[in-house]
Amino acid sequence: MNKHINTVGSNTYQRIKHDIIYGELEPGTKLKLDGLKTRYAASLSTLREMLSRLASEGFVAAEEQRGFFVTPVSREDLIEITNLRVLLECSAVKESIENGDTDWEGNLVAAHHKLHLMEQKMLNGDETEKETWKRYDGEFHLAMIQACNSKNLLDIHATIYDKYLRYQMLVLTYRGQEAVDEHKAMFDAALARDAKLAQELLEKHIRKGVEHTLEKIFSVDE
Amino acid sequence: MNKHINTVGSNTYQRIKHDIIYGELEPGTKLKLDGLKTRYAASLSTLREMLSRLASEGFVAAEEQRGFFVTPVSREDLIEITNLRVLLECSAVKESIENGDTDWEGNLVAAHHKLHLMEQKMLNGDETEKETWKRYDGEFHLAMIQACNSKNLLDIHATIYDKYLRYQMLVLTYRGQEAVDEHKAMFDAALARDAKLAQELLEKHIRKGVEHTLEKIFSVDE
DNA sequence: CTTGAGAGAATTCTCGAGAAAATATAGTTG
DNA sequence: CAACTATATTTTCTCGAGAATTCTCTCAAG
């Protein structure tokens, strides 16, 4: 299915990134090279190379001569990430709806269908595949903006989305029917080529989801 | 003045990045590790680490098992970069104008003053310090958005701006009095706290500058 | 009881060497 | 002469070791 990238480097890169996003490496944790060496079975040089990459993407904080840390989380950071996501994704969805061809529509229909199936599963109480569900959610949002004609924008968006995803994983709340309806409404607006409506729905959708998250994570502490 | 970072790594990182932005390493060039090793006097591991970083920022293209290249330039890419810069910088300037405190105003006044002095020099035919001029230009634009309250946005903007700068350096045109007036108008709008006007002026300013560049680089070829 | 200095330990930073893969070259066959 | 194969060369990828730096703990002085 998905091509297996076989260098030690890109493998550990993906694993570390995954572990940060999905909370297995907790925010603020010191990433000691020697510890990572045993955990990921890679050499110091290789690890440094990948940590450097993750640092420039913002998942890792690097301090000169003092090592690497998992980037901490904070209320302010989540708000910044959210605003950026709204800005980028709303801009992209407009372009995408205006430029999208038949292939784009096809992929969008498929992505929404897969997401919808998973959402039904979740509504029925099956919470065994939260990670898969979130992946379909991401793929649906990506399908919406795929035709925006800007590789640069899609790249930046992907990173921002992953950062948003990390916050989601810290609580992993499911808004239920409400979110399902929002996805459907956005999907319909996109097929109807109503860019303005899609933008409005998208912004509300994103902000509502994050409010939910903000309350749960940063209600008392930090 | 500016603190000298002394590790071999960050030094070569800065030098390679500089050489890419200022065209000393031409777009598309194959970056052979062994060649870089002699040029920058650093080991393979260190070089790989820094090239990986530059790759994830988009200044270098990395192909699995096939090495590193200076990211190519293209008309489409410049247009994408421009649209992103407009999107990010206009959003940031609005926030900044609405939130900026006295410190922000002070820095902005200083940045505009320095830029203005340099522009006068350029108008008088002194073109010996183009790099300094472009630095002041960048610092002015940064000063405008500095108070936007989003580290994430400022980070992304900085990278996008550097990419824009590389295209500028490929031609290095000077629009003269026109650009000077535009800077002044934006500066005045910011001090008058007229966010909407500042946004409009900024978008026009950016797009005009790029049109100028587009014509010169991609008029015939590629 | 706090503060500072200094030795020792832990950690990061940098390097060159060997393994793995890709590219270029030469040789052979149809 | 073209196309394929085998070999040689180049280049990337990965690793562990040693140097440089930071951190930690102990102990003494005020």
Side-chain angles (χ1 to χ4, degrees), chain A residues 37-121:
Chain A
K37 193 178 153 183
T38 58
R39 173 162 182 169
Y40 295 102
S43 73
L44 295 192
S45 319
T46 305
L47 277 167
R48 287 188 59 85
E49 191 180 322
M50 297 310 142
L51 288 175
S52 254
R53 242 167 99 182
L54 289 166
S56 88
E57 291 178 43
F59 296 101
V60 160
E63 285 183 50
E64 202 84 4
Q65 306 276 32
R66 299 203 41 235
F68 301 92
F69 305 79
V70 178
T71 304
V73 294
S74 72
R75 188 184 172 80
E76 293 72 37
D77 185 61
L78 175 51
I79 292 172
E80 288 184 25
I81 296 294
T82 306
N83 288 332
L84 268 171
R85 200 186 146 199
V86 167
L87 185 68
L88 295 168
E89 205 165 318
C90 283
S91 168
V93 86
K94 178 171 178 293
E95 292 299 318
S96 204
I97 286 176
E98 286 168 3
N99 298 325
D101 58 6
T102 312
D103 276 349
W104 170 71
E105 270 198 39
N107 287 331
L108 182 57
V109 171
H112 180 262
H113 187 71
K114 287 204 292 184
L115 173 61
H116 196 71
L117 284 179
M118 189 57 70
E119 284 175 330
Q120 294 307 322
K121 243 181 162 178

Side-chain angles (χ1 to χ4, degrees), chain B residues 20-66:
Chain B
I20 291 175
I21 292 174
Y22 290 92
E24 270 133 65
L25 291 170
E26 284 177 33
T29 309
K30 176 76 196 288
L31 294 169
K32 280 181 206 150
L33 278 304
D34 215 46
L36 299 182
K37 191 177 153 182
T38 58
R39 174 164 181 170
Y40 295 101
S43 72
L44 295 193
S45 319
T46 306
L47 277 167
R48 286 189 60 86
E49 192 179 321
M50 297 309 141
L51 288 174
S52 254
R53 242 168 98 181
L54 289 165
S56 89
E57 291 178 42
F59 295 101
V60 160
E63 285 182 50
E64 202 84 3
Q65 306 275 34
R66 299 203 40 236

Side-chain angles (χ1 to χ4, degrees), chain A residues 129-149:
Chain A
E129 296 184 80
K130 284 181 176 172
E131 214 173 286
T132 314
W133 161 52
K134 264 295 163 194
R135 202 177 72 235
Y136 287 162
D137 186 54
E139 284 174 8
F140 170 69
H141 281 276
L142 175 60
M144 289 274 287
I145 64 175
Q146 193 82 268
C148 74
N149 274 331

Side-chain angles (χ1 to χ4, degrees), chain A:
Chain A
M1 189 109 184
N2 51 346
K3 63 180 176 186
H4 216 274
I5 294 176
N6 35 16
T7 67
V8 176
S10 41
N11 248 305
T12 58
Y13 165 79
Q14 290 175 329
R15 285 171 58 202
I16 297 176
K17 187 169 173 178
H18 177 279
D19 288 352
I20 291 176
I21 292 175
Y22 291 93
E24 270 132 67
L25 291 170
E26 284 178 33
T29 309
K30 176 76 197 288
L31 294 168
K32 282 180 205 152
L33 278 305
D34 215 46
L36 298 182
K37 193 178 153 183
T38 58
R39 173 162 182 169
Y40 295 102
S43 73
L44 295 192
S45 319
T46 305
L47 277 167
R48 287 188 59 85
E49 191 180 322
M50 297 310 142
L51 288 175
S52 254
R53 242 167 99 182
L54 289 166
S56 88
E57 291 178 43
F59 296 101
V60 160
E63 285 183 50
E64 202 84 4
Q65 306 276 32
R66 299 203 41 235
F68 301 92
F69 305 79
V70 178
T71 304
V73 294
S74 72
R75 188 184 172 80
E76 293 72 37
D77 185 61
L78 175 51
I79 292 172
E80 288 184 25
I81 296 294
T82 306
N83 288 332
L84 268 171
R85 200 186 146 199
V86 167
L87 185 68
L88 295 168
E89 205 165 318
C90 283
S91 168
V93 86
K94 178 171 178 293
E95 292 299 318
S96 204
I97 286 176
E98 286 168 3
N99 298 325
D101 58 6
T102 312
D103 276 349
W104 170 71
E105 270 198 39
N107 287 331
L108 182 57
V109 171
H112 180 262
H113 187 71
K114 287 204 292 184
L115 173 61
H116 196 71
L117 284 179
M118 189 57 70
E119 284 175 330
Q120 294 307 322
K121 243 181 162 178
M122 299 285 291
L123 281 177
N124 291 332
D126 181 355
E127 304 211 344
T128 56
E129 296 184 80
K130 284 181 176 172
E131 214 173 286
T132 314
W133 161 52
K134 264 295 163 194
R135 202 177 72 235
Y136 287 162
D137 186 54
E139 284 174 8
F140 170 69
H141 281 276
L142 175 60
M144 289 274 287
I145 64 175
Q146 193 82 268
C148 74
N149 274 331
S150 176
K151 185 182 174 332
N152 283 282
L153 200 164
L154 288 174
D155 284 350
I156 297 174
H157 177 270
T159 304
I160 290 288
Y161 187 87
D162 281 340
K163 290 182 183 177
Y164 146 83
L165 188 51
R166 181 166 71 129
Y167 282 98
Q168 286 282 298
M169 287 302 150
L170 289 174
V171 289
L172 205 40
T173 64
Y174 181 48
R175 287 197 293 131
Q177 190 65 46
E178 193 182 17
V180 177
D181 294 342
E182 287 168 16
H183 282 142
K184 181 66 166 58
M186 286 191 288
F187 174 64
D188 290 339
L191 289 191
R193 304 281 171 164
D194 189 340
K196 199 150 184 295
L197 177 60
Q199 280 185 310
E200 283 166 22
L201 292 171
L202 178 57
E203 173 156 10
K204 271 184 202 160
H205 174 66
I206 295 173
R207 294 205 186 279
K208 269 193 191 171
V210 170
E211 262 171 46
H212 219 243
T213 312
L214 268 171
E215 277 171 29
K216 289 231 176 184
I217 317 183
F218 302 111
S219 47
V220 195
D221 60 304
E222 292 177 293

Side-chain angles (χ1 to χ4, degrees), chain B residues 1 23 59 62 85 116 148 180 213-214:
Chain B
M1 191 103 186
F59 295 101
R85 200 187 145 198
H116 196 70
C148 73
V180 177
T213 311
L214 267 171

